[in-house]
Amino acid sequence: MLSPLFGGCRGGLALALLGISVAEPLRSTKGVCTDATFAPLTLPNANIVSLDSVIAHTAWPASSDLINAFPSTKNGTVEVCQVTIKYKHRGQNDTINTWVWLPVTSWNGRFVGMGGSGWVTGTASSLAQPVFDGYSAASTDGGHSASASLQSWALDSNGDLNWKLLEDFSSVAVDEAASLGKAATRLFYGSLPKYSYWNGCSTGGRQGHMLAQEFPTQYDGILAGSPAINWDEFIPAQYWPPLMMQELNYYPPPCELEAITDLAISTCDELDGVKDGIVALPGLCQFDPSTVIGKEVNCADTNSIIKLSEKSAQFAAAVWSGANNSDGSSLWYGLTHDAPLTGLGGIDCSSSGKCKPTPFFLATDWMTTILSRDPSRDLSTIGLQDFRRLFHTSLKKFGSIIGTRNPDLTKFRDAGGKMITWHGMKDQYAFYNGTIDYYDRVRDFDARVHDYYRFFSAPGVEHCGGGPGWFPGNGFDALVDWVEKGKAPDTLFAHTIPAAAESASTPIRKANLCPYPKVLTYVKGNINKSSSFICR
């Protein structure tokens, strides 16, 4: 029988099912930011090591366009009760810090969990904006600090994988942060949040999908941008560009790769009906880089003119096609034609004039520390056969722990949850087509997916932001309206964000992003106005 403490609230039910218990707060401690107020917090199979609570004045500048940001236009300071909960799982060599921040006088009755990025499970600083906008909020370090190297926590003293800490990072700590955050909210305000939300991009987007898949009653609404789902596949696939450089024995200068990308954009730009420097229909882009071999390019960084080489064309074609098996069958998707090739295809020519690839750090960490269990392994010794073997090892050993690609979201659906995902089509790190792949599989599993999970493509947007395209900075507002008012988003409002180096007179372009599989298509009129585009 559920304790009357939780009543019929969805959040309370989740706490009760997980064994989280808090005593009825005494009137004298309600709203008081002291360790005694939060002393009743417990976790199943864990020991609370310490609790630290302090009143602080948290500042937040006006912003609507940051990773994990809320659509706030306010700035200033707010008085916050900041709680740090340190705990250990029994029988496991881990220590996890969870941060819960509680606005003292302006709580809006809602709770939000904030996601991380890369190997960072979460940070305390990410809680500043949500508490400023009236939310109680929580995040967790997942058992390791944001600055810690992967090998310092993913491998034990014997050099073996620390599976428990990998699980903490992947899922366990994020779920527990939600439970602790809602329980602490109950102790401080005397009631559980009426609605609970998740907000994250990249790793935070993966965490959001993991919560919907594995912990479907934790959150009423999930905003999951540029999600790093299919982790066991797309992270090793990030090493494909450096590997192609090694196989070709050619390390193209950045200006050569940028020129090829610009030519691809120019060729495929008007597929959506307008030439505006944005490729809105990448699936129809058939640009062949071999057709521009020999074209002269002015490299501003070296003040020289070079000709596009055959090997640079081969490299671009291989990156766009994606990693493959020896028989040519696909291992994973490639980048879209407009995504910067220099993101995963960086080079370093500083050593005695000899160039070498500089793989993206997640790919390097995964290939060496996780798959090889040798952080010092020289990746230049990995050939195609080694890469393919490691890729399949990744799927076999890590799909269940961190793959985050289970298409069965019916428990999330049945619990009344709502999820919005968006992904920049120009993403240079997390393959855009991987999110399409996942959404298609969810739709194949459940034809009702549109009732509770909607995916929006953002043309011209890079990883979690950046690029010339339309960024959906108000996605969280749309999520709240869907959860609390039943107003499902048929489109997602977005606008461009001119780079700092651009002229102050650069116009802000607006558009209403389309739910997949519809695509944003120009009809007529001013290209800066959303009314000039339709979803087709």
Side-chain angles (χ1 to χ4, degrees), residues 68 114-118 120-121 198-209 211 222-228:
N68 292 337
M114 299 296 287
S117 64
V120 178
T121 319
W198 175 263
N199 193 359
C201 194
S202 192
T203 283
R206 183 198 65 78
Q207 292 166 329
H209 281 76
L211 287 159
I222 293 172
L223 179 63
S226 304

Side-chain angles (χ1 to χ4, degrees), residues 16 53 416:
S53 56

Side-chain angles (χ1 to χ4, degrees), residues 441-528:
R441 288 190 292 112
V442 176
R443 187 175 56 177
D444 291 343
F445 190 91
D446 180 13
R448 293 176 51 194
V449 60
H450 201 63
D451 293 343
Y452 58 93
Y453 174 32
R454 298 191 179 187
F455 164 46
F456 296 85
S457 300
V461 177
E462 297 178 4
H463 187 61
C464 289
W470 299 277
F471 175 76
N474 290 70
F476 195 84
D477 273 351
L479 178 67
V480 170
D481 283 347
W482 194 5
V483 169
E484 300 182 18
K485 301 177 183 178
K487 185 179 177 181
D490 292 324
T491 58
L492 201 61
F493 175 75
H495 61 83
T496 58
I497 304 171
E502 294 178 338
S503 169
S505 62
T506 301
I508 302 297
R509 301 184 60 196
K510 299 177 180 180
N512 294 312
L513 302 184
C514 306
Y516 175 80
K518 294 181 179 181
V519 294
L520 193 66
T521 307
Y522 175 77
V523 182
K524 63 179 179 180
N526 188 334
I527 65 171
N528 298 326

Side-chain angles (χ1 to χ4, degrees), residues 30-250:
K30 179 180 174 182
V32 179
C33 187
T34 64
D35 296 352
T37 297
F38 304 101
L41 288 172
T42 63
L43 271 176
N45 303 315
N47 295 322
I48 305 294
V49 176
S50 65
L51 282 166
D52 180 67
S53 56
V54 62
I55 288 287
H57 288 82
T58 299
W60 185 257
S63 176
S64 61
D65 305 305
L66 299 175
I67 292 177
N68 292 337
F70 282 61
S72 172
T73 57
K74 299 176 291 185
N75 58 60
T77 61
V78 62
E79 191 174 32
V80 177
C81 177
Q82 298 180 351
V83 186
T84 301
I85 308 159
K86 180 179 290 188
Y87 65 94
K88 293 176 176 285
H89 290 109
R90 300 183 188 114
Q92 300 178 22
N93 186 24
D94 64 0
T95 301
I96 298 172
N97 290 287
T98 290
W99 306 283
V100 183
W101 287 14
L102 306 147
V104 173
T105 60
S106 57
W107 184 47
N108 62 18
R110 303 180 180 99
F111 167 79
V112 66
M114 299 296 287
S117 64
W119 293 115
V120 178
T121 319
T123 61
S125 60
S126 69
L127 307 181
Q129 189 172 7
V131 297
F132 189 82
D133 284 309
Y135 291 77
S136 61
S139 191
T140 177
D141 70 0
H144 64 276
S145 71
S147 61
S149 66
L150 178 65
Q151 69 184 82
S152 69
W153 61 269
L155 299 180
D156 63 22
S157 58
N158 297 318
D160 295 323
L161 287 172
N162 192 326
W163 289 98
K164 293 302 181 182
L165 280 178
L166 283 173
E167 289 176 353
D168 287 341
F169 165 73
S170 174
S171 58
V172 173
V174 178
D175 169 54
E176 292 171 340
S179 297
L180 287 169
K182 286 185 279 189
T185 297
R186 171 68 178 92
L187 287 167
F188 192 66
Y189 300 114
S191 64
L192 283 163
K194 187 174 182 180
Y195 299 102
S196 295
Y197 296 96
W198 175 263
N199 193 359
C201 194
S202 192
T203 283
R206 183 198 65 78
Q207 292 166 329
H209 281 76
M210 176 274 299
L211 287 159
Q213 294 167 17
E214 303 298 330
F215 307 99
T217 63
Q218 280 287 27
Y219 288 100
D220 301 288
I222 293 172
L223 179 63
S226 304
I229 51 177
N230 311 294
W231 184 283
D232 56 320
E233 296 173 299
F234 101 85
I235 294 296
Q238 288 183 331
Y239 187 68
W240 184 250
L243 181 63
M244 289 299 96
M245 288 184 181
Q246 292 176 184
E247 291 296 310
L248 291 166
N249 193 27
Y250 183 69

